[in-house]
Amino acid sequence: MTKAIDEAKLNRFVGQMLGDLGGALSVPLVRIGDRLGLYKALNAHGPMTPAELATRTNVAERYAREWLSHQAASGYLTYDARTGKFTLPPEQATVFAEPDSPVYLQGAFDLAATMMENEALVAPAFRSGRGVGWGEQSGCLFCAAGRFFRPGYHNSLVDSWLPALDGVAARLKAGAKVADVGCGHGFSTVIMAKAFPNSTFVGYDFHPGSIEQARLHAEQHGVTANTRFEVALASEFPGEDLDLVTFFDCLHDMGDPVGAARHVRQALKPDGRWMIVEPAAGDRLEDNLNPVGRLYYAVSTMICVPTSLDQPMGVALGAQAGLKKLSSAIAEGGFRSVRKAVETPFNMILEAQP
Ligand SMILES: C[S@@+](CC[C@H](N)C(=O)[O-])C[C@H]1O[C@@H](n2cnc3c(N)ncnc32)[C@H](O)[C@@H]1O
């Protein structure tokens, strides 16, 4: 039986696909622009012709011209046909060329590249139902994840997220004992350590390569006096009488989030606090069928679910778990209350009280 095709709907959908494919094909070009300093040069010295960009960044002019043309066709740059020059507008510069801006997205392009490489590992896992270990995943997933989340932490952690928790900022100022669990490359740990020199911070992660990078990072930022990093599982990290435990974008990646919650509970002081930063999400699938949910479900399928399924228990909450499921795991671990302290378009910040 042939199904009737609505031409207008078909045209709209093909138009959407053109946009989607254009975005997907832009991934290597944006990363080349980042790696070779093309955006930075345009930001600092633009507008430029292809020849000017080529000279300034030491690339071949023919490649510069093709790259610039693609970027203009994408709306990432503007083109002035009169002068033959390309401009990086200030709004686009915040996305491509300014690492401290809250909407710097180069890390997301790195994640996209990592996910494409992960296809060879994740497709067989769809059949077997098994996981793919965090440390086995492709390319520099660890760098990409850190780079993707850093702008949010840099702009919000000290000024907005920590002050939204009950009495935590005051304790950190005075001198508190903190564990940052699932710390990856330690961006969050170092940001807190710099802001609160009277407090001591230990970052834990089960991935030894990430802990090595985190140690280097702490040295580069001069925070080794109050910060160290150790390899440990979330369900086993050493520590007692802690004032604060933080989990940044990692609880849903864990195989046994309830076991992790139980361990945090016994590592905290009775009046300590657990801060859990998780991807923003509604509780129902239908609440997450939007552009942010779309990105997170993709990352979750290719990275978060395989990571959790590879671990004992393999609960695989997924990156769009939502407050209800997260709260229930946290409560099962022995916490009396959980509340959403702050929400951003990408993250929700939860506070759990023992
Ligand atoms: C998405 S990354 C987030 C890293 C870092 N917190 C950040 O925000 O940049 C998730 C991290 O959780 C860590 N992880 C996953 N399962 C873990 C477990 N069971 N115990 C300790 N770390 C774990 C991974 O190694 C990874 O560094």
Side-chain angles (χ1 to χ4, degrees):
M1 195 182 80
T2 48
K3 288 186 191 154
I5 295 277
D6 178 327
E7 287 293 329
K9 279 188 186 164
L10 177 61
N11 285 341
R12 270 200 305 278
F13 187 62
V14 172
Q16 181 194 330
M17 285 300 104
L18 272 180
D20 284 7
L21 284 167
L25 298 184
S26 296
V27 170
L29 285 98
V30 170
R31 296 184 78 224
I32 286 173
D34 175 44
R35 189 176 306 172
L36 301 184
L38 309 185
Y39 293 113
K40 283 211 174 95
L42 283 159
N43 199 26
H45 308 287
M48 282 187 213
T49 62
E52 286 164 349
L53 178 66
T55 306
R56 170 82 55 186
T57 57
N58 193 26
V59 302
E61 183 183 340
R62 182 67 192 89
Y63 279 102
R65 179 155 33 105
E66 214 65 3
W67 183 85
L68 286 163
S69 304
H70 164 267
Q71 298 286 297
S74 304
Y76 300 171
L77 302 178
T78 56
Y79 174 61
D80 183 342
R82 206 175 34 86
T83 59
K85 289 187 190 257
F86 295 82
T87 300
L88 179 66
E91 296 77 15
Q92 276 82 336
T94 62
V95 168
F96 293 123
E98 292 167 10
D100 286 347
S101 113
V103 291
Y104 182 66
L105 290 177
Q106 289 290 2
F109 283 89
D110 289 350
L111 265 186
T114 303
M115 282 167 50
M116 286 184 201
E117 281 181 47
N118 257 15
E119 183 188 325
L121 298 166
V122 176
F126 266 63
R127 288 250 188 265
S128 69
R130 283 200 274 273
V132 181
W134 178 260
E136 293 157 37
Q137 296 186 31
S138 305
C140 191
L141 168 59
F142 330 111
C143 327
R147 198 176 187 209
F148 173 64
F149 290 121
R150 196 198 80 95
Y153 304 161
H154 175 79
N155 286 285
S156 306
L157 175 53
V158 172
D159 292 338
S160 157
W161 298 351
L162 289 168
L165 308 182
D166 178 29
V168 166
R171 277 162 91 159
L172 287 168
K173 273 185 201 131
K177 267 171 75 180
V178 183
D180 185 15
V181 178
C183 66
H185 284 199
F187 286 107
S188 51
T189 332
V190 168
I191 288 169
M192 292 189 288
K194 266 187 163 172
F196 302 106
N198 293 334
S199 290
T200 54
F201 297 84
V202 188
Y204 297 104
D205 199 288
F206 76 162
H207 181 237
S210 290
I211 288 297
E212 258 172 52
Q213 285 302 314
R215 285 178 181 149
L216 284 177
H217 187 209
E219 271 170 35
Q220 283 158 5
H221 285 264
V223 293
T224 49
N226 67 337
T227 315
R228 59 190 175 82
F229 290 96
E230 303 293 343
V231 176
L233 282 164
S235 52
E236 291 177 1
F237 68 90
E240 53 188 19
D241 289 333
L242 299 176
D243 296 282
L244 175 68
V245 175
T246 55
F247 275 47
F248 288 89
D249 284 294
C250 60
L251 182 63
H252 66 272
D253 289 316
M254 294 176 182
D256 180 12
V258 173
R262 210 170 280 130
H263 188 68
V264 172
R265 168 77 183 78
Q266 59 88 32
L268 279 171
K269 281 182 180 159
D271 64 345
R273 288 291 182 273
W274 183 17
M275 176 167 83
I276 306 113
V277 177
E278 277 288 304
D283 288 323
R284 302 170 313 163
L285 168 61
E286 53 270 40
D287 300 330
N288 302 325
L289 302 181
N290 53 52
V292 172
R294 181 188 188 195
L295 289 182
Y296 275 133
Y297 279 123
V299 174
S300 189
T301 309
M302 301 303 289
I303 298 172
C304 311
V305 165
T307 297
S308 176
L309 288 177
D310 184 62
Q311 301 181 33
M313 306 283 287
V315 166
L317 285 173
Q320 290 288 271
L323 182 60
K324 216 163 150 190
K325 269 195 212 138
L326 292 165
S327 301
S328 131
I330 292 165
E332 220 184 305
F335 283 82
R336 191 152 54 87
S337 73
V338 189
R339 72 176 181 104
K340 194 191 282 181
V342 202
E343 189 162 33
T344 73
F346 286 111
N347 282 113
M348 54 190 179
I349 290 74
L350 312 183
E351 176 179 20
Q353 199 175 333

